[in-house]
Structure formats: structure tokens, C-alpha cells
Amino acid sequence: MLEKIISLSEVSLIDFLGVANVNINLLINAFPQSKIIARGEQLTVRGSNDQIALVEAIVNSCVAHLDKHHTLTEKHMQAYIDAVLNPTGEESEQPWVEDKDVLLFGNKGIVIKAKTPNQRKLVDAATTNDIVFAIGPAGTGKTYTAVALAVKALKNKEVKKIIITRPAVEAGENLGFLPGDLKEKIDPYLRPIYDALDDMIPAEKLKFYLENRTIEIAPLAYMRGRTLNKAFILLDEAQNTTSMQMKMFLTRMGIQSKTIITGDKSQVDLPKNQTSGLGEAERILSGINGIAFVELDGSDVVRHRLVRKIIEAYGKQEK
């Protein structure tokens, strides 16, 4: 009887084994002539060479599934077992098949996808252009979709890092009077970014990415003087950039990089005597090949149904 040790160090053992070991028990029961033992971060398989190869194929598929979807249910495990043990029979159900709008699978199997026509336009524009402006009101998913595109690019190794920035402009509050050091003062302004990342990347991996600066979240002022190569760069709340800040940001872009700028022209918090860099960029840069502008509106709102009505009511008042 041969023996093979398969490492499970790259996955969450709880997710792989399943609640009350339901996943691993399915695998054990599928190979009654072999002995499969899960201990620590290792799976020991004893049996014939052919049986070991089949078990390893199933385990590898499950590990890849976990890496992509961050969850592995009893249904998934059974589907992978059926696919390996019955490769020439009727097609088994494949619960991992994606629809074309899915960007990635977040924590606990959350499906992150483009949900509206204009969000799909944003995804398509980011595929074919290196700089994309996503302009629209609150709740239209522009920031969330942009973060998902960045995480997808990092996961697919299209870029080496993600850089997310936004101007620290007070919306009726003064940063200087907030408690704590600079990071503690700035973090509340960046909270929506952290919330999106929390949905998309497991906590331990996100902590690692932040600590080694694979993902960098910083105020816009920290971008000055840098050249950002092989990066996916996001500028959020761009309506609160000045003309000079917007020009500074756009000229940070290095080779093999992509940039998405999001903003809401109806929520400018700049002093009245300052021009929004977002509106000016739209006027100056429209028509340049490789730069796209995507407009989102109330029909794209994916928050509470009342948010759409609030946006429409304010829109009528402004007109």
C-alpha cells in the first residue's frame, strides 16, 4: 500500500474539512478501499497509486475552489468527487459555474458582480481602457465595483499591488479636532474602502496585504512625487480634488497600471472658490483614446430603495 501526504497549509482547514467534518467524510466514504487521514495541515492518503491520484485530483480541485470562492460546501465537494469518479458519464451538477457578470467570490461565498447596466459598462470600460472615470450619485456601486476590479486584477496577477486613495476633505468637520494621530484621523474617511475589502478578501490575507503594502490605502497627499508601476490605482471621492490634485494624481500612473477615478459631482465639499478637479478633468480629457467616462445614475442605486427616491428628489430640487 502506497502513501501520499498532501499539504493543506494554503487553505482554511475549517472550510476544507467542513462543519462536523462533513466534507472530508464525503471524500473518505468515496474511497472505501483507501485510508484518508486529516491531521493538522496535512492529508495522508494510503492506497493504490490510481486511488491516490484520484484523491489528489479532487483535493487539488477543492483547494483551487476555496482559493477562488472562499467557501467549500458539501454540495461542492460531492460535485468534485462525481466529476473525477464519473468523468465519462452524465454531466454532474457544477455549482461553481460562473455567470459572465461575476467579478469574484468574496468571503463566505459572497458573489460580487456587476448588478446594473451601468456597472457592466464600468467593468467593460476598465477592460479596454487604462483610465476610467466612474461618475454618479451615492449608492450606485461605483466604488465597490472599482475595488472588486482591483482585487480581481491582483488575484489574477495582472498587477502587483493595489493603491487606493481619496482626498481628506472635511464634510462639515475639521480633521484637526478629531482625536488620535494622522492615521486615526484619516481612517474614518477611508472606512468605505476597508468595508469593501472586508467583503472580498479573507481577514488574515487582507491583514498580510496591508502590512506588506501589497494593498496601500492612503490620503491623496501621499501620492505626490511617486511613480506607480504595475499597480491598480483607485481615486475615490474625486469630486473633492482640486485641479492641481487631479493633475498630480493622473500623472502618477506608471507602466502596466490601470486607474479608476470615482466621484459624485453633486457632493463637492471644497470651498466655493475652488474648482472640482473631477469636473475639470471631464471637460479636458474627454475624447482621449484610452480614457473612458462612465455615467451612473439613480437607476444604478443598489442600497435601500429610499436612497433612489432621495437622489431623485434632490435632483429635482437642484434643477
Side-chain angles (χ1 to χ4, degrees), residues 2-6 35 37 43-47 52-53 56:
L2 301 174
E3 180 177 290
K4 172 82 174 186
I5 295 177
I6 304 171
K35 190 170 184 66
I37 304 167
L43 194 69
T44 302
V45 186
R46 299 191 184 108
I52 289 173
E56 188 171 18

Side-chain angles (χ1 to χ4, degrees), residues 39-90:
R39 184 174 291 120
E41 295 183 340
Q42 292 182 337
L43 194 69
T44 302
V45 186
R46 299 191 184 108
S48 69
N49 194 50
D50 290 343
Q51 292 277 294
I52 289 173
L54 292 174
V55 173
E56 188 171 18
I58 294 168
V59 171
N60 288 342
S61 295
C62 291
V63 168
H65 182 101
L66 265 172
D67 183 57
K68 185 170 188 179
H69 301 268
H70 307 305
T71 187
L72 183 72
T73 67
E74 183 179 0
K75 188 177 181 180
H76 295 141
M77 174 64 84
Q78 189 61 59
Y80 284 114
I81 291 171
D82 292 343
V84 168
L85 295 184
N86 186 28
T88 57
E90 295 183 2

Side-chain angles (χ1 to χ4, degrees), residues 297-315:
D297 55 38
S299 66
D300 299 297
V301 171
V302 291
R303 293 180 184 170
H304 193 285
R305 60 182 179 80
L306 288 178
V307 174
R308 182 179 299 180
K309 295 183 180 296
I310 291 168
I311 290 170
E312 290 172 354
Y314 272 94

Side-chain angles (χ1 to χ4, degrees), residues 227-238:
T227 301
L228 307 174
N229 295 321
K230 297 181 180 179
F232 205 115
I233 314 155
L234 305 182
L235 171 59
D236 193 35
E237 299 288 344

Side-chain angles (χ1 to χ4, degrees), residues 115-169:
K115 295 180 179 179
T116 70
N118 286 327
Q119 287 181 11
R120 294 186 193 99
K121 287 181 183 178
L122 172 54
V123 173
D124 292 341
T127 302
T128 55
N129 297 273
D130 287 337
I131 298 178
V132 178
F133 287 80
I135 302 171
T140 52
K142 54 189 183 295
T143 298
Y144 197 86
T145 302
V147 173
L149 286 167
V151 172
K152 180 181 179 181
L154 181 66
K155 189 178 186 65
N156 293 342
K157 299 182 179 178
E158 296 166 12
V159 296
K160 289 188 174 181
K161 64 189 308 180
I162 296 172
I163 297 171
I164 305 174
T165 186
R166 65 192 304 188
V169 174

